[in-house]
């Protein structure tokens, strides 16, 4: 966790409009060795939960989720929700809507019914948790499938936004974020919780 | 390799229009333990090449590439090219155009200049190689960066199409495909080379 905070301080770039860019190790270039350490920490936090499936969303979530999966007992498969700009979805899928503040528009996410079921104990893994992130929609997808949600493992949470607390309090779901940002500003830098 | 051919025979679904769906272990649900074995085989084939970077493309390529990266000496970082529907790309990127036969349209791929340079020895990893796959464009991106291309590691090649041979012969680039399909048909099934 301290490693991650250090890495965000050193390599993250803060822009106006509440934007944190971590393209250098998460969102474009993936520091796989480092992700493996993050995966170990997530596996430690969710030890004993007998996760049968890891659910994430394309594209940046896939790397974190796959590398983390290798650290969990039995190496659970990763299912990644697909993004679609339209409602043109084929056949048997669970779908949910996300509003992206970054892009200023809605998009749908979908998961094939074939790959998520009521027998699953699901850990959701994603890179970011903030206002308008995909987590509530991934939870919605699990609910549609009747799958049990073990919790959510997140790399970076903007803790000054409501995204995480809504899930923790309203849904009663365990959310473990490896770095929780208390505040950030292009001039003053970044503070962690 | 035999494991992969077996898995494609057992879990792959062939549809009219030359479509092979491997959603159950590559393109939607990722069999991470299995991918790890595939990664070991790629690392064995490219042993001694001192790869400094693995280049892939979102979304399905990311899982294969990250899990494979863990099997290479020094765990090279993975850079994934981004897809963009328009020419509205920001600043300093290498870009190239792909024509997707599946979607019937062109799209751009881009890699930030920050994350690929002339110092890199690049291994390109992707899930599919066929006519109209992203490999030639990923090569084009490396050429723009002046990076050395060690080769390409592919999960599944449609060897009856020209995609792979164009790269091997015209570009002189080493392409290792773990499964090479000689023919496939919804009725007759699948034959490997």
């Amino acid at each position: 966790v301290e490693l991650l905070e250090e890495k965000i301080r050193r390599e993250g770039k803060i822009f106006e409009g509440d934007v944190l860019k971590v393209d250098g190790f998460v969102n474009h270039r993936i520091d796989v060795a480092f992700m493996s350490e993050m995966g170990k920490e997530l596996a430690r936090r969710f030890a004993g939960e007998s996760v049968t499936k890891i659910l994430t969303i394309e594209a940046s979530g896939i790397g974190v989720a796959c590398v983390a999966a290798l650290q969990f007992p039995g190496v659970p498969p990763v299912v990644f929700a697909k993004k679609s700009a339209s409602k043109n979805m084929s056949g048997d899928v669970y779908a949910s809507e996300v509003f992206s503040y970054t892009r200023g528009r809605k998009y749908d996410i979908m998961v094939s019914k074939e790959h998520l079921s009521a027998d699953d104990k699901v850990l959701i893994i994603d890179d970011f948790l903030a206002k308008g992130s995909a987590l509530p929609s991934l939870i919605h997808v699990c609910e549609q499938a009747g799958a049990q949600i073990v919790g959510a493992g997140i790399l970076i949470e903007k803790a000054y936004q409501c995204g995480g607390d809504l899930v923790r309090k309203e849904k009663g779901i365990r959310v473990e974020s490896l770095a929780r940002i208390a505040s950030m500003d292009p001039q003053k830098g970044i503070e962690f919780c």
Side-chain angles (χ1 to χ4, degrees), chain A:
Chain A
V1 172
E2 276 149 38
L3 281 177
L4 178 57
E5 291 182 359
E6 251 179 64
K7 203 161 172 87
I8 296 168
R9 275 216 180 82
R10 208 170 47 233
E11 300 179 27
K13 288 168 201 157
I14 307 169
F15 295 97
E16 293 296 341
D18 199 43
V19 175
L20 173 64
K21 275 211 166 194
V22 286
D23 269 21
F25 64 101
V26 183
N27 297 122
H28 189 12
R29 178 184 181 274
I30 304 172
D31 186 333
V32 179
F34 182 78
M35 284 302 164
S36 194
E37 293 306 309
M38 297 300 105
K40 276 177 200 162
E41 177 60 18
L42 288 176
R44 194 186 66 74
R45 294 197 188 188
F46 289 99
E49 289 283 10
S50 54
V51 172
T52 66
K53 209 158 269 174
I54 291 176
L55 180 66
T56 189
I57 180 162
E58 62 179 2
S60 301
I62 298 174
V64 197
C66 286
V67 170
L70 289 166
Q71 302 297 335
F72 282 74
V75 188
V78 166
V79 172
F80 62 95
K82 304 202 173 194
K83 291 173 185 176
S84 122
S86 76
K87 288 269 179 196
N88 301 328
M89 292 170 291
S90 68
D92 283 347
V93 296
Y94 305 112
S96 188
E97 203 174 72
V98 182
F99 183 81
S100 165
Y101 286 87
T102 325
R103 305 179 195 181
R105 62 175 177 83
K106 291 177 196 169
Y107 61 94
D108 292 310
I109 68 165
M110 49 187 175
V111 173
S112 164
K113 291 189 179 175
E114 226 179 308
H115 299 311
L116 197 62
S117 80
D119 298 331
D120 280 316
K121 296 178 102 175
V122 178
L123 175 66
I124 299 170
I125 290 187
D126 207 1
D127 51 348
F128 268 95
L129 171 54
K131 180 184 64 170
S133 75
L135 183 56
S137 304
L138 292 170
I139 291 169
H140 183 213
V141 158
C142 290
E143 286 168 347
Q144 291 173 61
Q148 186 190 326
I149 301 169
V150 162
I154 304 289
L155 273 191
I156 303 170
E157 178 180 350
K158 290 181 178 172
Y160 56 91
Q161 291 184 350
C162 56
D165 281 341
L166 280 178
V167 172
R168 289 183 183 97
K169 286 173 192 164
E170 288 187 16
K171 292 281 182 184
I173 286 169
R174 181 177 171 202
V175 180
E176 296 282 344
S177 299
L178 299 186
R180 301 188 72 233
I181 300 173
S183 72
M184 61 178 215
D185 182 278
Q187 275 76 48
K188 292 176 204 156
I190 198 159
E191 298 272 349
F192 294 96
C193 297

